[in-house]
Amino acid sequence: MQRLKTRAQFQAVLAGATVARTAHFALHRCALDAPGGAAPLFASDDVWLGAMVPKRWARRAVTRNAIKRQIYTVSAAVAESLPRAAHVVRLRAAFDRKQFVSASSDALKAAVRTELQQLLARAGAARA
């Protein structure tokens, strides 16, 4: 699995379709083929993944980094079931700070992991 790195790659994927949603996350996907004559954004024919965790929805850097680590870990575990395309997992709502007081608690990580597994399962169902 390759990681998205450039702004152009993220913009191309976000312009694509939203294939799955949960309460806190959205999964965007686009094909790897480049328009005619354009330089390819994605060098290899592999699964590409990016994570967007805006400061608007996760104020603390510790929380943003913990969520990104969970995104990459859960996605790597199911990478073989994802289609050869570029994907972006985007946080679209905040986790309740009253429920998850600590910026990087085990409870928050477990909640994120569970929801990401649901998101990727829905994406797999949307693929079929």
Side-chain angles (χ1 to χ4, degrees):
M1 179 174 17
Q2 304 285 325
R3 287 193 183 183
L4 300 179
K5 293 185 175 74
T6 66
R7 180 181 175 101
Q9 289 175 329
F10 277 92
Q11 287 178 334
V13 178
L14 290 173
T18 302
V19 293
R21 285 189 178 163
T22 61
H24 294 96
F25 294 100
L27 179 69
H28 300 268
R29 181 186 299 155
C30 83
L32 296 177
D33 55 348
L41 287 174
F42 309 103
S44 66
D45 184 35
D46 197 7
V47 175
W48 288 77
L49 183 76
M52 283 184 60
V53 183
K55 195 182 283 187
R56 175 181 184 182
W57 302 121
R59 296 302 260 171
R60 301 176 187 167
V62 174
T63 305
R64 290 193 304 274
N65 291 331
I67 292 172
K68 284 181 187 179
R69 280 192 301 273
Q70 291 297 320
I71 290 170
Y72 288 121
T73 302
V74 171
S75 299
V78 297
E80 65 276 352
S81 69
L82 292 174
R84 301 274 185 235
H87 303 84
V88 170
V89 177
R90 178 177 56 90
L91 182 67
R92 63 186 198 104
F95 283 90
D96 186 17
R97 286 183 67 176
K98 291 179 182 174
Q99 183 180 0
F100 304 106
V101 178
S102 174
S104 180
S105 66
D106 290 336
L108 175 63
K109 290 176 188 176
V112 169
R113 191 176 317 114
T114 302
E115 195 165 330
L116 287 170
Q117 289 167 344
Q118 291 172 357
L119 178 77
L120 295 172
R122 288 180 187 173
R127 177 184 180 196

